[in-house]
Amino acid sequence: QDAHEAEVSAPADAAPQHPGVRGSSRSAQNPARKPALRSVTSDQPAAKPAPEFWIGVHLTEPASQPLLEGLAIRAQRFTPRVSLVPPDGLLLEVKGSLHLFNGVEGLWRALENECVLLGVKPLLALCPTPLAALVAARASSAKPFIVIGLQQLIGQLAPLPLTALRWPPETLERLAHMGVRTIGEVLRLPRAGFARRFGTEHLSTLDRLSGRAADIRNRFRASERFRRKCDLTYELESHDAILRALEPLFKELGTFLREQLHLELSEPKT
């Protein structure tokens, strides 16, 4: 398939900067009937790929919890690192899985197909941080959004609307009155002043977005069910006899619950 690459020609002082992450790029417009997947390129020396690649999945309509969990179970065929973002999102860390699906494009198409099989329409994005992938997917269009290096991340996020962060309406309104409506514009604001006016929680969100701070995500685990059956060959007439017959099942249930609790406590965060 033909691939379209983004050429970088913006001067360094034209891009928004954020402490801890440097560099940006602008993607060229190249319309096509079905855009090929591409990553951001640069006229600078090749950037080292980020340690993680996250795919954000945004559903165009909110999904019920069972439907979202069903999609997460299907997504686990691509990676065990799947996180729910109710009511309309999923996150997948896929760097270690790309070679199994012939790269980004193969995995991307396969994930889209899984969504279609469940009757949902997804918007996807791939970024070095989970929040960036989710925000980019929410603001995405038919054109794929793929960034593989932190150096290019902020430049690509810059034109996206602040609404994709899902901050409270009053916060967005206050920022709009200041002329701040995009991610790039909010990242240009002084950190200390922003924290004083809008709180450290929102500043932390921007740090997780850019990769300045870690973004720990809970890994999805499908609910386990315990099912056992005891066939009685004779009629029981006393309460004690029924308890004795069911005692082995109760012991198995106790073992099952202890194992589930151990898995829950030892489950690594992603």
Side-chain angles (χ1 to χ4, degrees), residues 49-258:
E52 295 181 333
F53 292 158
W54 289 86
I55 289 183
V57 181
H58 172 66
L59 307 181
T60 55
E61 297 289 338
S64 65
Q65 187 70 13
L67 178 58
L68 200 59
E69 291 184 359
L71 182 57
I73 291 172
R74 287 179 176 265
Q76 285 179 327
R77 67 175 283 244
F78 306 110
T79 172
R81 299 181 64 184
V82 176
S83 301
L84 299 182
V85 189
D88 55 10
L90 284 182
L91 283 166
L92 296 76
E93 201 292 306
V94 299
K95 187 171 185 179
S97 307
L98 294 179
H99 69 284
L100 301 175
F101 297 89
N102 297 318
V104 173
E105 184 162 359
L107 192 151
W108 190 288
R109 302 302 183 202
L111 182 56
E112 284 183 326
N113 290 338
E114 292 293 340
C115 293
V116 171
L117 289 175
L118 285 180
V120 296
K121 182 179 179 182
L123 296 173
L124 308 181
L126 185 145
C127 292
T129 70
L131 184 56
L134 193 60
V135 166
R138 290 169 181 167
S140 181
S141 59
K143 184 178 181 180
F145 189 106
I146 300 176
V147 181
I148 64 171
L150 284 171
Q151 291 85 350
Q152 293 85 19
L153 181 60
I154 290 181
Q156 291 296 302
L157 293 174
L160 301 184
L162 281 178
T163 52
L165 288 172
R166 294 186 174 174
W167 282 348
E170 56 271 19
T171 300
L172 297 176
E173 185 176 354
R174 289 175 60 195
L175 286 166
H177 287 160
M178 298 168 56
V180 176
R181 293 180 174 84
T182 68
I183 290 175
E185 290 167 346
V186 79
L187 289 176
R188 291 191 184 99
L189 299 177
R191 290 174 59 84
F194 179 86
R196 283 195 303 271
R197 298 189 64 176
F198 298 97
T200 56
E201 183 178 349
H202 289 332
L203 183 62
S204 175
T205 297
L206 296 178
D207 287 345
R208 290 186 288 111
L209 178 76
S210 67
R212 180 183 177 91
D215 190 352
I216 307 301
R217 298 282 171 166
N218 292 321
R219 186 180 299 186
F220 168 77
R221 290 181 62 248
S223 300
E224 298 285 346
R225 294 186 178 184
F226 177 85
R227 291 177 179 171
R228 296 292 187 273
K229 183 179 179 181
C230 178
D231 292 319
L232 301 177
T233 58
Y234 53 92
E235 185 175 342
L236 298 179
E237 298 180 351
S238 72
H239 184 262
D240 290 340
I242 294 174
L243 289 179
R244 285 195 299 271
L246 295 179
E247 185 176 0
L249 300 188
F250 289 140
K251 288 184 178 179
E252 289 187 55
L253 175 59
T255 301
F256 171 82
L257 293 176
R258 284 192 294 272

